[in-house]
Amino acid sequence: MLNDRSSLLSLLETRRSAKPRELVGPGPTAAELERMLTIAARTPDHGKLHPWRFIIVPDDQRDALAALLLDALGQENPEATDAHRQKEDDFAHYAGQLVVLVSGAVPDHKIPLWEQELSCGAAGMNLLLAAHALGYVAGWVTGWRAYSEPVQSAFCEPGERIGGFIFIGHAVRDLEDRPRPPLLDVVRQWTPLSE
Ligand SMILES: Cc1cc2nc3c(=O)[nH]c(=O)nc-3n(C[C@H](O)[C@H](O)[C@H](O)COP(=O)(O)O)c2cc1C
């Protein structure tokens, strides 16, 4: 069973994202979303810089998001077809709650940029965990939109970057797990590599 919330450990052992396009509503209530974001903000962060932000996209801004994505698509790909445009409109209107994760690393700081970006990733992971712990299913995607200048400008201050679009809703069907790396591939006993 995936996303088994019968215990903390079982949830950690079975947590599974969904594809955002396959989510259904409703998204979290305002109180649940605040709780998720409070948990997400409780993230390791060297230097207390909290170099990440969460941008809530209200339902009544989804049409504006669609207009933004269509405009960005036109700039990125003048050859875009109706199918491409439909995909962006669909994306902007995916069910559930959309939270945009923004990396706001402090430049030229004694805390290396790498560590600040690691903290941003951890904040995104914590948001997934919080959403799943509250009985929702989340999906984290980037795609071309995260790297598009017009889209970045609409979400980010100068120097910030989009870490992902995180949709929070419910799975429309039973989820299937995906392959997980065998521990042998990702864990080893340390000996110096130069030996
Ligand atoms: C930073 C980041 C960006 C991602 N972008 C995409 C994406 O654009 N499209 C996609 O299909 N999956 C993307 N994924 C992967 C999805 O989140 C995928 O559903 C995830 O690997 C499922 O793993 P889980 O079940 O362990 O959460 C991204 C993951 C991360 C961490």
Side-chain angles (χ1 to χ4, degrees):
M1 176 187 179
L2 294 170
N3 293 317
D4 173 2
R5 294 196 300 140
S6 57
S7 75
L8 176 57
L9 279 178
S10 66
L11 179 60
L12 293 173
E13 287 168 339
T14 62
R15 186 204 52 79
R16 176 75 173 111
S17 298
K19 289 183 170 56
R21 68 172 177 271
E22 295 181 358
L23 289 176
V24 293
T29 64
E32 287 171 329
L33 181 60
E34 183 175 339
R35 197 168 179 197
M36 289 175 196
L37 293 170
T38 303
I39 293 168
R42 194 178 185 87
T43 282
D45 155 22
H46 190 182
K48 303 185 190 71
L49 296 172
H50 48 82
W52 25 261
R53 296 191 293 117
F54 307 101
I55 301 181
I56 298 167
V57 179
D59 288 350
D60 66 6
Q61 294 298 320
R62 291 299 193 102
D63 288 346
L65 176 61
L68 168 70
L69 295 179
L70 288 172
D71 183 50
L73 178 66
Q75 293 183 45
E76 300 269 338
N77 180 8
E79 315 285 305
T81 62
D82 283 350
H84 290 129
R85 284 186 280 278
Q86 185 62 52
K87 194 172 168 189
E88 295 318 306
D89 193 61
D90 291 348
F91 182 95
H93 294 99
Y94 283 161
Q97 177 65 58
L98 170 57
V99 176
V100 180
L101 173 67
V102 167
S103 166
V106 181
D108 305 318
H109 196 278
K110 67 177 180 182
I111 306 299
L113 178 65
W114 166 237
E115 295 188 17
Q116 297 186 50
E117 291 176 340
L118 285 174
S119 181
C120 180
M125 184 68 235
N126 252 351
L127 180 57
L128 288 192
L129 284 170
H132 287 238
L134 279 155
Y136 291 84
V137 175
W140 176 349
V141 289
T142 47
W144 71 270
R145 307 163 191 92
Y147 303 96
S148 156
E149 198 281 323
V151 180
Q152 287 185 343
S153 297
F155 284 96
C156 303
E157 302 293 335
E160 293 183 339
R161 304 185 67 175
I162 293 177
F165 299 89
I166 299 177
F167 291 86
I168 303 167
H170 297 278
V172 70
R173 58 178 172 79
D174 285 347
L175 296 170
E176 287 169 19
D177 207 0
R178 66 184 178 92
R180 306 291 168 172
L183 278 194
L184 276 176
D185 288 359
V186 294
V187 179
R188 68 181 177 88
Q189 300 282 332
W190 183 73
T191 55
L193 283 176
S194 56
E195 270 186 3

